Amino acid sequence: MEVTFGARMLKTGVAVTLALYAGVLLGLSSPVIAAIAAIFAMQPTIYRSWRYLIDQLQTNTLGAILAMLGGMVFSNEPIAVGLVCILVIMICLQLKMGDTIGITLVTVVSVMEASGQWEFALNRFLLSLIGIFSAFIINIVLFPPKPKVQFEQQVRQTFDRLSLLLRTAISDEIKEAVFRSDKRDLEDTIAQLAEKYKLMEEDQKKIKAPKFSDHRLLVVYKQMLRTLRKGFEVLDAVEQHYFQAARTPELNQEFDEHLEKLTKFHEHVMLKFDDKLKPGYSESMQFETENDEFLRRMLDRYAAERTGVLRLSIVSAEMYEYGHQLERLNRLADHSAAGAGD
């Protein structure tokens, strides 16, 4: 399994260091609690960091109060600690703040260890807050999250993987074990892209008056993601249906050639977004015509043969739909280029 070292790993380490130093400088005992809180509190976007900070202030304060009361009444009996933890979890879920449960429970357990001694309990509560604030500050100051830049880079890397698999899918040149491994990696990467898109969409929804350009960019990103998914579905259909169907060398060549056209057009569209190709209306019209003709030829063939063609019809339909999504993405690329030229 490949390990990727990114900014979030670095920031988590720096936040832990800052939390430990802050705890020591303030003379608070057991600064490791601040380090644990910093690990939990690192978030993928600035908005989520802010939202997490606000939520944690609420749930940690509530958890500390309940833990203090529980410690005063029941001391630090294990059963009492467990019951207070259950109560805090229920409250966090009811408040729709489930993401804060981890650090809040750390606060509860550490505060109840004080058995009602408010000075000791305050020390533990402050350590949790130090960890949360450390993560928030580091997330803003050090390599602040740039989901749009990350998304664009990952889209291009994902297309490179998809392109290789599509170009070798029908010709069966790539080793089966390699194909399946790369296909699984591609599926995971597309899932990560979907998560990044959700983060960007979430950020925009929380902005009171987002720019029109930001909204348009999200539309482009959504179509990029949809197109990659359709390309992956073509691979899935080829793996599950194509090689199980009866085929002639001529048919293999026809499918392979159309897959090459799809992949090449996808590549040209991505180059338009990179501002490396001019908007090509004639190319788009030609591609749309060829995609329609491919499906018509396949449907005519299936109508004539009737038997043994169901699997091939599934593959050809997925290829056509991939082409249709490419046409939509191409229109967005041409509009973006036209808008940049105005």
Side-chain angles (χ1 to χ4, degrees):
M1 180 177 163
E2 183 181 354
V3 179
T4 303
F5 294 93
R8 192 170 179 183
M9 288 186 181
L10 176 63
K11 290 194 291 186
T12 300
V14 175
V16 167
T17 303
L18 177 62
L20 289 171
Y21 272 123
V24 172
L25 289 174
L26 292 174
L28 301 174
S29 60
S30 300
V32 68
I33 295 174
I36 294 172
I39 294 171
F40 277 102
M42 189 58 64
Q43 297 295 307
T45 66
I46 299 297
Y47 168 75
R48 282 203 176 182
S49 291
W50 172 250
R51 185 70 264 169
Y52 192 82
L53 174 64
I54 299 301
D55 290 349
Q56 280 289 359
L57 287 175
Q58 298 178 58
T59 58
N60 258 269
T61 302
L62 180 61
I65 293 172
L66 292 175
M68 185 69 181
L69 294 174
M72 293 173 64
V73 176
F74 302 108
S75 186
N76 57 0
E77 292 294 323
I79 294 178
V81 175
L83 289 174
V84 173
C85 285
I86 292 173
L87 177 61
V88 169
I89 292 172
M90 292 172 62
I91 293 174
C92 288
L93 293 176
Q94 189 66 31
L95 295 174
K96 300 187 185 303
M97 298 180 183
D99 292 341
T100 67
I101 290 175
I103 301 181
T104 304
L105 291 183
V106 171
T107 301
V108 168
V109 173
S110 57
V111 168
M112 286 199 71
E113 184 186 356
S115 302
Q117 301 176 30
W118 72 269
E119 299 95 340
F120 191 78
L122 181 62
N123 176 84
R124 295 294 191 261
F125 175 64
L126 290 176
L127 283 169
S128 294
L129 293 186
I130 287 172
I132 296 168
F133 273 101
S134 295
F136 177 71
I137 293 170
I138 293 300
N139 204 27
I140 293 176
V141 174
L142 185 64
F143 304 122
K146 297 179 180 179
K148 291 180 180 179
V149 174
Q150 295 169 357
F151 185 89
E152 290 179 1
Q153 291 175 345
Q154 197 165 352
V155 161
R156 283 153 181 77
Q157 294 168 0
T158 304
F159 169 69
D160 289 341
R161 287 185 174 185
L162 175 66
S163 173
L164 174 63
L165 292 176
L166 286 174
R167 284 184 161 121
T168 57
I170 300 297
S171 59
D172 203 21
E173 296 169 327
I174 193 169
K175 292 182 178 179
E176 185 176 348
V178 175
F179 178 85
R180 289 183 176 177
S181 175
D182 288 355
K183 182 169 168 283
R184 283 194 299 269
D185 291 342
L186 178 63
E187 186 176 20
D188 292 341
T189 304
I190 292 175
Q192 293 170 14
L193 275 172
E195 183 60 32
K196 281 187 173 64
Y197 177 80
K198 287 181 181 178
L199 291 175
M200 292 186 292
E201 191 176 41
E202 178 185 73
D203 279 355
Q204 189 177 103
K205 286 181 178 178
K206 302 305 177 182
I207 299 175
K208 291 183 179 179
K211 297 178 181 177
F212 176 74
S213 58
D214 291 336
H215 177 72
R216 185 171 60 181
L217 198 59
L218 269 190
V219 172
V220 171
Y221 288 165
K222 187 175 184 178
Q223 186 58 31
M224 283 181 172
L225 179 58
R226 183 183 289 120
T227 305
L228 289 171
R229 279 175 172 160
K230 283 301 175 182
F232 177 82
E233 287 171 11
V234 171
L235 288 175
D236 213 30
V238 169
E239 183 181 25
Q240 294 186 40
H241 300 288
Y242 189 79
F243 294 106
Q244 288 78 7
R247 309 172 320 278
T248 63
E250 293 77 17
L251 190 64
N252 283 338
Q253 183 177 357
E254 191 164 2
F255 269 88
D256 194 30
E257 288 177 353
H258 193 62
L259 262 183
E260 176 64 29
K261 289 177 183 176
L262 291 168
T263 309
K264 185 177 180 180
F265 189 66
H266 197 161
E267 183 178 13
H268 283 191
V269 173
M270 296 306 297
L271 288 172
K272 288 180 183 180
F273 282 114
D274 291 337
D275 200 23
K276 294 179 180 179
L277 284 184
K278 298 177 181 178
Y281 179 74
S282 58
E283 180 196 27
S284 175
M285 292 295 293
Q286 181 182 352
F287 175 80
E288 186 173 351
T289 300
E290 290 175 348
N291 197 40
D292 290 344
E293 287 178 352
F294 168 77
L295 186 59
R296 288 195 189 96
R297 288 196 305 271
M298 293 301 108
L299 291 176
D300 290 343
R301 184 188 296 271
Y302 304 149
E305 295 182 9
R306 293 283 182 178
T307 58
V309 295
L310 181 58
R311 288 181 180 274
L312 291 177
S313 67
I314 294 173
V315 178
S316 57
E318 291 291 355
M319 290 172 63
Y320 175 80
E321 179 59 23
Y322 175 41
H324 176 65
Q325 295 303 329
L326 281 173
E327 292 164 18
R328 297 180 64 182
L329 184 62
N330 181 66
R331 286 194 290 271
L332 289 173
D334 288 343
H335 287 321
S336 297
D342 290 342

